[in-house]
């Protein structure tokens, strides 16, 4: 290595500039060694300047090298055909790559086949002898004698995977600012001895590389989605909302649908949208408040509380069916019912962020389970303007200032609004949530006073997370297929910054 | 959400003006629709059958518009245009009338036989007189029936629609349920007669009809409607007869809807007649029909009910957070096809709910329509005055205290699925599934959703498996819920527990 370095430096001094490829050929040394030496000289300071150039070279593949040694496939095939001919079946077995060789030999006019021969198709020599042009050309290529080989041939051999084009990075080396024939060893440490003896004045020191990343500290990491969840929790708490107990994935159809005035024939209650539990199949009937169930039954099947109702046969059996909850609104229903049983009504602000389950078709942005964010306010005389206002404040904390509301439909809210926000990062309007005022048919059977309005809104946790981190496939965010490196690299979560 | 595909230029023609795509998108936004996709017949063919067949259709622009699930009156271009024109105050909402037959003729009659009670008890009927179909309106007529079948009829299980050329059949009609061997007729688009048994066989491979066979297949009797001369009109909910097929030259249409849900049958019938009476000579009129129930009583259909609700102006203003006078509110509602008038010196409104607005079942539906016509985005945003001291759910608070501590100790958080396969919590951990008190899913689409997890370990192990190429050590943790069956109370129940799981791989 030392010698190579000296050689390079001397030549640069003598010739002014050198080409690493040429030098490698001249010294009969592997090019990579020269490059290595050049790089180590570079690291010692401004001794040389390097200019990178890329060149292409033709190289033989393994198969190509085999051809050089043994002859091309077609030549082998030709040689395997004796004067009296040979059965095609036998010929195919006799040499490697017989199939390619055979078709090449045929198209080259070297052999011919008699399909009607006795005992099966028979192959005969068509010419007396052949010239193995392919082998000859490849030998020439190997020796870097490229003249006489046409582009057509090169393309052909590349197609047959006999040669490949290889990119070579080489360097033109010239004198640098501090050119010298010797490289002094650079010190990496300033020791107390150097300081006290004064010898530090004679040493050159290796500069600090502030570009290097260094060893990362040993650390743990929180999951990106849960970091965002923590931020949303903070936002709700800042706005005075209390957290609902949502630690029950399994819910009865009654609380998930019926209490919310969602009719029993509604498509969302179908087996292909909802996960039903086979064991335990039914919820404990004794835990459902009987008089409330009767009121719910009545409002569905006959109406009441100012409503026409849906006018169908409501069945308790359907309501008892256990399911994996399809929305956390089921918990909101439970909480509102509990609130209504209080002797005196007190206004509340509730929120929840937890898992919900949908049995829908899965694709890049949909999974069977995801997280729903929900907020609600129950108070006397709340207006639609209040709902829009609280939604505005909520999304302001997420850095979205411009909002538009669109009429929508939910079975349990009226009026209902889809929320659209102008996303400063994506620079376009996107749907960011759903909202509405809970229907009287849901609230009045619970026993809430009739001048109490409940306004609510919700969104999914995954969608804003995927937008924020630029993730296209939801499986890259939750589940076992998450790349842990992504989790390691994930920065702190600042929801209001885009 | 249901979508309708409409040819853009025909739509604009009916609306009486052209819009740019942005303008139309904006109109949809205001009204509560969504312009889901702008495509063409060729583009749709290319998507479904491959680009090589794309030249066969037209390049005319098609708008695919998403309709709210409870608005059956917007499922066809006729109704959609009507809704938008009334919304833009370019036309008044039509008044739909029941006009009994002219002097000398009587109402069409249909009798329901008791045997239908076992399989499909209800039937409603009506007549559209002196109707003129064009190719376009004929196609829309079929499409609307299809859309209704898919949506409110819940894939024909709740209601099935049959439409017939009245001039090819003769009333009175009978709706009966007979053993399949006894039903024989030439069904639509066939050339010979089949028994119902043979039809079940024939349609078992039909990509369109095979999905409905199960509704009646195993019943000892199949529904069937026939006329005075025993001509079969239809075998609901499967197929109509070829004999009474509607063509472009049909002038009088007999509509029958059989059902297991009478309320929905009435809504469906009302929808069809209000939408397509547009093409009757006497526009927006329907000829009623008499349906004789199994107890002998007679009911006249369609309902075409105009309901009235009285609402408080001050109450609506308060609920929305706006302040408008009674007359202004009345004209807003009229724009939503809810014709209204101020009464009691402007304290109240009397609102007329037409048969096309079956979705309005409570005063709150009226409140929403006031807001839509006012414009949601014109309402002033205010902050609720509700003052509450917030509380964290203790379990979540504890979790959020533990998580950073465990991470600080060098562990990385995993987030895994709460559903998994049976093997994941049993065989793969060398346990017997019958000893595990897990909650089982009845209708999983794949193995991955067979049970709710009883432990966090399988999920974390899978995370390790997917990250085999990561440098060691791998230190993972998760704090989340698992689900157990709770047998302690003697009743089958379920319990959820939060578990902390830490895994270290070196």
């Amino acid at each position: 290595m030392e010698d190579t370095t000296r050689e390079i430096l001397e030549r640069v001094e003598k010739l002014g500039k050198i080409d690493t490829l040429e030098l490698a050929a001249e010294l009969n040394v592997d090019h990579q060694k020269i490059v290595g030496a050049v790089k180590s000289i570079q690291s010692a300071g401004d001794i040389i300047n390097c200019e990178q150039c890329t060149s292409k070279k033709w190289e033989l593949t393994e198969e190509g090298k085999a051809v050089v040694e043994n002859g091309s496939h077609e030549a082998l095939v030709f040689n395997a055909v004796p004067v009296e001919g040979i059965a095609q079946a036998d010929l195919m077995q006799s040499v490697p790559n017989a199939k390619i060789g055979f078709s090449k030999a045929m198209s080259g006019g070297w052999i011919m086949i008699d399909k009607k021969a006795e005992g099966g198709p028979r192959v005969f020599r068509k010419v007396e002898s052949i010239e193995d042009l392919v082998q000859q050309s490849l030998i020439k290529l190997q020796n870097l004698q490229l003249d006489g080989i046409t582009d057509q041939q090169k393309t052909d051999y590349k197609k047959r995977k006999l040669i490949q084009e290889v990119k070579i990075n080489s360097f033109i080396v010239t004198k640098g600012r501090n050119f010298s024939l010797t490289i002094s060893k650079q010190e990496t440490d300033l020791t107390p001895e150097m300081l006290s003896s004064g010898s530090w004045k004679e040493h050159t020191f290796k500069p600090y590389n502030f570009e290097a990343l260094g060893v990362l500290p040993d650390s743990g990491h929180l999951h990106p989605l849960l970091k965002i969840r923590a931020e949303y929790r903070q936002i709700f708490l800042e706005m005075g909302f209390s957290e609902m107990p949502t630690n029950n994935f399994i819910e009865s159809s009654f609380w998930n649908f019926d209490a919310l005035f969602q009719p029993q024939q509604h498509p969302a209650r179908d087996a292909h949208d909802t996960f039903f539990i086979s064991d335990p199949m039914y919820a404990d009937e004794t835990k459902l408040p009987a008089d409330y169930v009767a009121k719910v039954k009545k409002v569905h099947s006959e109406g009441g509380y100012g409503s026409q109702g849906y006018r169908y046969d409501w069945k308790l059996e359907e309501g008892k069916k256990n399911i994996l909850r399809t929305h956390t609104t089921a918990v909101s229903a439970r909480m509102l019912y509990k609130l209504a049983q209080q002797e005196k009504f007190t206004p509340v602000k509730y929120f929840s962020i937890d898992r919900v389950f949908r049995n829908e078709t899965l694709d890049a942005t949909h999974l069977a389970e995801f997280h729903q964010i929900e907020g609600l306010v129950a108070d006397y005389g709340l207006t639609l303007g209040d709902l829009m206002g609280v939604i505005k404040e909520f999304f302001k904390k997420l850095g979205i200032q411009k909002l538009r509301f669109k009429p929508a439909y939910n079975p349990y809210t009226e009026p209902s609004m889809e929320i659209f926000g102008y996303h400063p990062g994506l620079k376009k309007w996107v749907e960011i949530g759903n909202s509405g005022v809970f229907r009287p048919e849901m609230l009045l059977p619970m026993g809430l006073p009739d001048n109490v309005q409940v306004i609510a809104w919700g969104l999914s946790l995954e969608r804003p997370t995927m937008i924020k981190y630029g993730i296209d496939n939801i499986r890259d965010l939750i589940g076992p297929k998450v790349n842990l490196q992504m989790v390691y690299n994930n920065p702190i979560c600042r929801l209001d910054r885009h | 959400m249901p979508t309708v595909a409409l040819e853009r230029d025909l739509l604009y023609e009916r609306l009486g003006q052209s819009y740019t795509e942005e303008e139309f998108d904006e109109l949809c936004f205001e009204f509560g629709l969504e312009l889901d996709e702008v495509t063409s017949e060729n583009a749709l063919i290319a998507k479904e059958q491959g680009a090589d067949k794309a030249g066969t259709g037209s390049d005319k622009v098609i708008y695919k518009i998403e309709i709210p699930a409870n608005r059956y009156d917007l499922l066809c271009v006729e109704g959609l245009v009507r809704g938008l024109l009334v919304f833009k105050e370019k036309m008044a909402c039509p008044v739909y009338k029941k006009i009994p037959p002219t002097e000398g003729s009587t109402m069409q009659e249909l009798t329901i036989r008791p045997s239908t009670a076992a399989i499909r008890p209800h039937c409603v009927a009506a007549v559209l007189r002196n109707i003129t179909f064009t190719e376009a309106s004929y196609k829309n007529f079929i499409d609307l029936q299809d859309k209704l079948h898919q949506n409110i009829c819940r894939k024909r299980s709740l209601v099935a629609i049959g439409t017939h050329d009245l001039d090819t059949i003769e009333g009175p009609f009978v709706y009966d349920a007979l053993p399949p061997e006894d039903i024989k007729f030439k069904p639509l688009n066939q050339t010979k007669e089949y028994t119902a048994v043979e039809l079940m066989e024939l349609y078992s491979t039909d990509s369109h009809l095979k999905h409905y066979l199960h509704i009646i297949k195993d019943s000892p009797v199949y529904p069937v409607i026939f006329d005075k001369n025993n001509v079969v009109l239809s075998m609901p909910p499967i197929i109509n007869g070829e004999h009474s097929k509607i063509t472009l030259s049909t002038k009088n249409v007999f509509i029958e809807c059989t059902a297991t849900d009478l309320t929905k049958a009435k809504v469906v019938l009302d929808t069809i007649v209000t939408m397509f009476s547009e093409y009757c000579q006497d526009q927006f009129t329907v000829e009623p029909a008499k349906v004789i129930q199994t107890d002998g009583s007679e009911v006249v259909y369609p309902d075409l009910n105009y309901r009235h609700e009285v609402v408080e102006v001050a109450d609506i203003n308060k609920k929305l957070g706006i302040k408008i006078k009674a007359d202004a509110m009345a004209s807003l509602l009229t724009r939503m096809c809810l014709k209204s008038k101020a009464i009691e010196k402007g304290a109240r409104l009397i609102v007329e709910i037409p048969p096309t607005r079956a979705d309005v079942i409570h005063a709150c539906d009226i409140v929403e329509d006031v807001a839509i016509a006012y414009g949601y985005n014109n309402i002033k945003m205010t902050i609720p005055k509700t003052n509450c001291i917030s509380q964290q759910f203790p379990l979540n608070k504890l979790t959020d205290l533990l998580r950073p501590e465990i991470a600080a100790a060098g562990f990385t958080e995993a987030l895994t699925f709460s559903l998994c396969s049976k093997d994941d919590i049993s065989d793969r951990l060398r346990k017997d599934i019958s000893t595990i008190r897990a909650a089982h899913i009845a209708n999983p689409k794949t193995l991955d959703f067979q049970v709710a997890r009883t432990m966090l370990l399988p999920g974390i192990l899978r995370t390790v498996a997917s990250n085999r190429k990561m440098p060691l050590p791998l230190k993972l943790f998760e704090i989340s819920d698992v689900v157990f069956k709770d047998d302690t109370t003697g009743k089958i129940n379920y319990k959820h527990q939060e578990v902390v799981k830490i895994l270290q791989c070196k």
Side-chain angles (χ1 to χ4, degrees), chain A residues 167-233:
Chain A
K167 253 197 227 162
I168 303 192
N169 289 332
S170 61
F171 298 91
I172 307 279
V173 183
T174 49
K175 285 190 193 172
R177 218 160 22 120
N178 300 327
F179 182 76
S180 85
L181 281 175
T182 56
I183 311 171
S184 53
K185 180 168 177 288
Q186 291 190 314
E187 298 296 330
T188 52
D189 262 321
L190 178 62
T191 64
E193 289 76 31
M194 284 187 209
L195 281 174
S196 53
S197 70
S199 66
W200 62 269
K201 293 184 199 144
E202 276 101 54
H203 290 284
T204 49
F205 291 91
K206 190 165 183 197
Y208 276 115
N209 182 1
F210 293 109
E211 308 291 317
L213 216 42
V215 176
L216 285 176
D218 209 9
S219 55
H221 313 266
L222 292 174
H223 189 280
L225 188 73
L226 296 176
K227 283 200 265 204
I228 296 219
R229 179 179 185 276
E231 285 304 296
Y232 274 99
R233 264 186 99 237

Side-chain angles (χ1 to χ4, degrees), chain A residues 149-165:
Chain A
I149 303 182
T150 65
D151 281 338
Q152 169 74 7
Q153 281 175 294
K154 284 189 207 152
T155 320
D156 190 37
Y157 299 153
K158 186 172 167 192
K159 219 168 148 192
R160 290 178 66 172
K161 296 212 174 87
L162 298 173
I163 60 171
Q164 58 193 7
E165 216 170 11

Side-chain angles (χ1 to χ4, degrees), chain B residues 297-422:
Chain B
S297 61
E298 298 177 351
V299 185
V300 173
Y301 292 109
D303 261 3
L304 276 193
N305 221 352
Y306 277 84
R307 204 165 61 81
H308 291 91
E309 283 243 17
V310 174
V311 292
E312 309 273 332
V313 172
D315 193 45
I316 297 187
N317 275 326
K318 195 153 168 264
K319 288 209 163 84
L320 295 179
I322 60 177
K323 248 196 179 87
I324 56 175
K325 291 218 167 60
D327 285 330
M329 199 181 280
S331 40
L332 287 181
L333 282 172
T334 307
R335 280 175 60 200
M336 302 302 289
C337 283
L338 299 174
K339 216 154 58 182
S340 306
K341 205 171 63 181
I343 54 172
E344 292 173 36
K345 293 204 183 78
R348 289 173 159 194
L349 294 183
I350 180 156
V351 181
E352 185 181 82
I353 300 157
T356 47
R357 293 302 305 271
D359 60 297
V360 175
I361 57 175
H362 189 285
C364 65
D365 297 298
I366 297 174
V367 172
E368 184 182 85
D369 274 16
V370 171
I372 296 176
Y374 186 85
Y376 278 0
N377 297 297
N378 293 329
I379 299 177
K380 184 157 171 270
M381 298 194 215
T382 50
I383 299 183
K385 298 184 193 63
T386 320
N387 205 344
C388 294
I389 307 292
S390 53
Q391 302 280 5
Q392 296 186 49
F393 181 48
L395 196 57
N396 288 357
K397 182 169 177 174
L398 178 61
T399 306
D400 272 6
L401 286 172
L402 285 175
R403 284 171 59 239
E405 296 298 326
I406 302 180
F411 290 84
T412 297
E413 194 172 23
L415 178 60
T416 60
F417 296 132
S418 12
L419 302 179
C420 61
S421 69
K422 279 192 268 206

Side-chain angles (χ1 to χ4, degrees), chain A residues 136-414:
Chain A
Q136 290 166 9
S137 306
L138 287 181
I139 294 174
K140 273 204 209 155
L141 262 168
Q142 196 178 40
N143 296 331
L144 297 177
Q145 291 155 357
L146 297 169
D147 45 301
I149 303 182
T150 65
D151 281 338
Q152 169 74 7
Q153 281 175 294
K154 284 189 207 152
T155 320
D156 190 37
Y157 299 153
K158 186 172 167 192
K159 219 168 148 192
R160 290 178 66 172
K161 296 212 174 87
L162 298 173
I163 60 171
Q164 58 193 7
E165 216 170 11
V166 171
K167 253 197 227 162
I168 303 192
N169 289 332
S170 61
F171 298 91
I172 307 279
V173 183
T174 49
K175 285 190 193 172
R177 218 160 22 120
N178 300 327
F179 182 76
S180 85
L181 281 175
T182 56
I183 311 171
S184 53
K185 180 168 177 288
Q186 291 190 314
E187 298 296 330
T188 52
D189 262 321
L190 178 62
T191 64
E193 289 76 31
M194 284 187 209
L195 281 174
S196 53
S197 70
S199 66
W200 62 269
K201 293 184 199 144
E202 276 101 54
H203 290 284
T204 49
F205 291 91
K206 190 165 183 197
Y208 276 115
N209 182 1
F210 293 109
E211 308 291 317
L213 216 42
V215 176
L216 285 176
D218 209 9
S219 55
H221 313 266
L222 292 174
H223 189 280
L225 188 73
L226 296 176
K227 283 200 265 204
I228 296 219
R229 179 179 185 276
E231 285 304 296
Y232 274 99
R233 264 186 99 237
Q234 271 294 99
I235 290 174
F236 275 114
L237 293 169
E238 279 170 21
M239 291 172 70
F241 283 72
S242 290
E243 202 169 18
M244 293 190 267
T246 50
N247 53 330
N248 62 318
F249 294 161
I250 298 186
E251 186 58 270
S252 65
S253 294
F254 180 77
W255 286 112
N256 197 89
F257 295 120
D258 298 289
L260 294 172
F261 198 54
Q262 196 156 343
Q264 289 181 337
Q265 313 131 325
H266 194 277
R269 296 176 81 150
D270 253 4
H272 58 253
D273 277 354
T274 303
F275 285 109
F276 285 90
I277 309 291
S278 61
D279 175 26
M281 187 147 103
Y282 291 109
D284 186 350
E285 200 176 316
T286 61
K287 293 234 172 84
L288 296 175
D291 50 352
Y292 175 52
V293 171
K295 291 192 180 130
V296 169
K297 174 178 172 150
K298 185 152 184 270
V299 79
H300 278 241
S301 51
E302 293 167 36
Y305 308 103
S307 175
Q308 301 294 304
Y310 293 124
R311 312 220 159 161
Y312 71 97
D313 270 327
W314 188 87
K315 295 198 173 69
L316 178 59
E317 190 181 324
E318 192 62 39
K320 278 195 318 189
K321 286 188 182 159
N322 271 337
I323 60 172
L324 285 172
R325 67 173 173 222
T326 59
H327 45 201
T328 48
T329 324
V331 180
S332 305
R334 282 181 183 267
M335 296 298 287
L336 287 171
Y337 176 76
K338 203 161 144 215
L339 176 68
Q341 307 320 301
Q342 274 175 204
E343 215 175 286
K344 189 169 175 335
F345 173 79
T346 52
V348 294
K349 289 175 11 180
Y350 290 151
F351 81 94
S352 65
I353 308 174
D354 210 333
R355 251 177 246 231
V356 296
F357 303 83
R358 304 259 171 104
N359 196 6
E360 290 168 342
T361 334
L362 307 180
D363 61 31
T365 50
H366 293 92
L367 281 173
E369 46 185 293
F370 59 100
H371 294 77
Q372 189 186 337
I373 301 169
E374 182 157 320
L376 69 89
V377 183
D379 200 351
Y380 296 105
L382 291 172
T383 71
L384 194 62
D386 285 333
L387 177 55
M388 295 161 90
V390 76
I391 290 173
K392 181 166 198 268
E393 291 305 312
F394 178 78
F395 282 103
K396 211 155 81 174
K397 288 178 183 285
L398 300 167
I400 296 180
Q401 314 274 8
K402 290 198 266 188
L403 293 182
R404 292 183 73 204
F405 295 89
K406 178 176 173 211
Y409 167 68
N410 292 320
Y412 38 89
T413 55
E414 187 91 4

